[in-house]
Amino acid sequence: MKVDTNMRKTYYITFQNFFHKSASVSSTKPRPLTAYSFVPFSPFAMLDPTILTLGGIVLGIAIIEQILERWGVIDLVGQFAKVMRFILPIIFYSALIYFFATFIF
Protein backbone atom coordinates (compact mmCIF):
# COMPACT_ATOMS: atom_id res chain seq x y z
CA MET A 1 0.00 0.00 0.00
CA LYS A 2 1.42 3.33 -1.00
CA VAL A 3 0.94 6.26 1.38
CA ASP A 4 1.63 9.76 0.21
CA THR A 5 2.09 12.26 3.03
CA ASN A 6 3.33 15.53 1.70
CA MET A 7 3.79 15.18 -2.03
CA ARG A 8 7.54 15.17 -1.36
CA LYS A 9 7.93 12.04 0.72
CA THR A 10 6.53 8.66 -0.24
CA TYR A 11 6.90 5.58 1.90
CA TYR A 12 5.47 2.10 1.87
CA ILE A 13 3.61 0.33 4.65
CA THR A 14 2.54 -3.30 4.67
CA PHE A 15 -1.01 -4.46 5.28
CA GLN A 16 -0.07 -6.13 8.58
CA ASN A 17 1.69 -3.04 9.88
CA PHE A 18 -1.29 -0.91 8.92
CA PHE A 19 -3.71 -2.96 11.02
CA HIS A 20 -1.32 -3.68 13.90
CA LYS A 21 -0.35 -0.09 14.39
CA SER A 22 -0.55 0.92 18.02
CA ALA A 23 -3.75 2.75 18.97
CA SER A 24 -1.90 5.30 21.10
CA VAL A 25 -0.30 6.95 18.10
CA SER A 26 -2.79 9.26 16.48
CA SER A 27 -2.32 10.71 13.03
CA THR A 28 -4.59 13.66 13.77
CA LYS A 29 -4.12 16.34 16.38
CA PRO A 30 -6.82 16.49 19.04
CA ARG A 31 -9.01 19.55 18.79
CA PRO A 32 -10.66 21.18 21.79
CA LEU A 33 -14.28 20.18 22.15
CA THR A 34 -16.78 22.93 22.86
CA ALA A 35 -19.85 21.55 24.60
CA TYR A 36 -23.03 23.50 25.08
CA SER A 37 -25.81 22.79 27.55
CA PHE A 38 -29.44 23.47 26.85
CA VAL A 39 -30.09 23.88 30.60
CA PRO A 40 -28.31 27.03 31.81
CA PHE A 41 -28.22 26.00 35.45
CA SER A 42 -28.94 23.04 37.65
CA PRO A 43 -32.15 23.01 39.71
CA PHE A 44 -30.06 21.80 42.66
CA ALA A 45 -28.47 25.24 42.77
CA MET A 46 -31.69 26.47 44.39
CA LEU A 47 -30.80 24.40 47.47
CA ASP A 48 -28.54 27.18 48.66
CA PRO A 49 -28.96 27.61 52.46
CA THR A 50 -29.50 31.37 52.16
CA ILE A 51 -32.29 30.96 49.60
CA LEU A 52 -33.89 28.19 51.67
CA THR A 53 -33.70 30.31 54.84
CA LEU A 54 -35.35 33.30 53.18
CA GLY A 55 -38.05 31.07 51.70
CA GLY A 56 -38.65 29.45 55.09
CA ILE A 57 -39.01 32.84 56.78
CA VAL A 58 -41.56 34.01 54.21
CA LEU A 59 -43.46 30.72 54.45
CA GLY A 60 -43.43 30.92 58.25
CA ILE A 61 -44.82 34.45 58.22
CA ALA A 62 -47.59 33.39 55.82
CA ILE A 63 -48.52 30.48 58.11
CA ILE A 64 -48.55 32.75 61.17
CA GLU A 65 -50.77 35.18 59.30
CA GLN A 66 -53.23 32.38 58.44
CA ILE A 67 -53.30 31.16 62.05
CA LEU A 68 -53.95 34.68 63.36
CA GLU A 69 -56.77 35.08 60.84
CA ARG A 70 -58.41 31.85 62.05
CA TRP A 71 -58.11 33.01 65.66
CA GLY A 72 -59.97 36.16 64.69
CA VAL A 73 -57.21 38.69 65.40
CA ILE A 74 -57.98 40.72 62.30
CA ASP A 75 -56.19 43.88 63.49
CA LEU A 76 -52.90 42.03 63.86
CA VAL A 77 -53.39 40.33 60.49
CA GLY A 78 -53.89 43.78 58.93
CA GLN A 79 -50.63 44.99 60.47
CA PHE A 80 -48.85 41.87 59.13
CA ALA A 81 -50.29 42.52 55.67
CA LYS A 82 -49.09 46.13 55.68
CA VAL A 83 -45.58 45.13 56.70
CA MET A 84 -45.42 42.16 54.32
CA ARG A 85 -46.57 44.29 51.38
CA PHE A 86 -43.33 46.22 51.81
CA ILE A 87 -40.94 43.48 52.96
CA LEU A 88 -41.83 40.58 50.61
CA PRO A 89 -40.76 42.29 47.36
CA ILE A 90 -37.51 43.38 49.01
CA ILE A 91 -36.81 39.82 50.19
CA PHE A 92 -37.69 38.36 46.77
CA TYR A 93 -35.50 40.70 44.74
CA SER A 94 -32.65 40.48 47.25
CA ALA A 95 -32.72 36.68 47.06
CA LEU A 96 -32.85 36.84 43.26
CA ILE A 97 -29.86 39.19 43.09
CA TYR A 98 -27.98 37.05 45.63
CA PHE A 99 -28.69 33.89 43.63
CA PHE A 100 -27.38 35.30 40.36
CA ALA A 101 -24.43 37.04 42.05
CA THR A 102 -23.17 33.88 43.77
CA PHE A 103 -24.07 31.33 41.11
CA ILE A 104 -21.19 30.30 38.85
CA PHE A 105 -22.37 29.90 35.26
Side-chain angles (χ1 to χ4, degrees):
M1 179 173 168
K2 186 177 174 182
V3 179
D4 190 18
T5 58
N6 194 358
M7 298 299 277
R8 293 184 193 155
K9 234 187 334 186
T10 303
Y11 63 95
Y12 292 94
I13 186 168
T14 63
F15 184 74
Q16 286 82 12
N17 287 340
F18 177 74
F19 277 104
H20 296 301
K21 200 195 271 189
S22 72
S24 63
V25 178
S26 176
S27 61
T28 60
K29 294 180 183 177
R31 291 184 287 173
L33 175 68
T34 306
Y36 297 100
S37 174
F38 292 108
V39 180
F41 59 87
S42 170
F44 293 114
M46 294 295 253
L47 296 177
D48 184 26
T50 306
I51 303 287
L52 290 176
T53 303
L54 290 174
I57 289 170
V58 170
L59 186 62
I61 290 172
I63 291 172
I64 290 172
E65 190 175 352
Q66 291 293 320
I67 290 171
L68 289 175
E69 188 178 353
R70 286 187 185 173
W71 285 352
V73 191
I74 302 300
D75 294 336
L76 196 54
V77 172
Q79 294 298 325
F80 260 107
K82 285 180 185 176
V83 171
M84 289 289 94
R85 198 175 300 139
F86 177 71
I87 290 178
L88 282 179
I90 293 174
I91 291 175
F92 173 75
Y93 289 117
S94 299
L96 193 66
I97 290 170
Y98 171 80
F99 175 72
F100 285 116
T102 59
F103 184 69
I104 300 172
F105 285 100

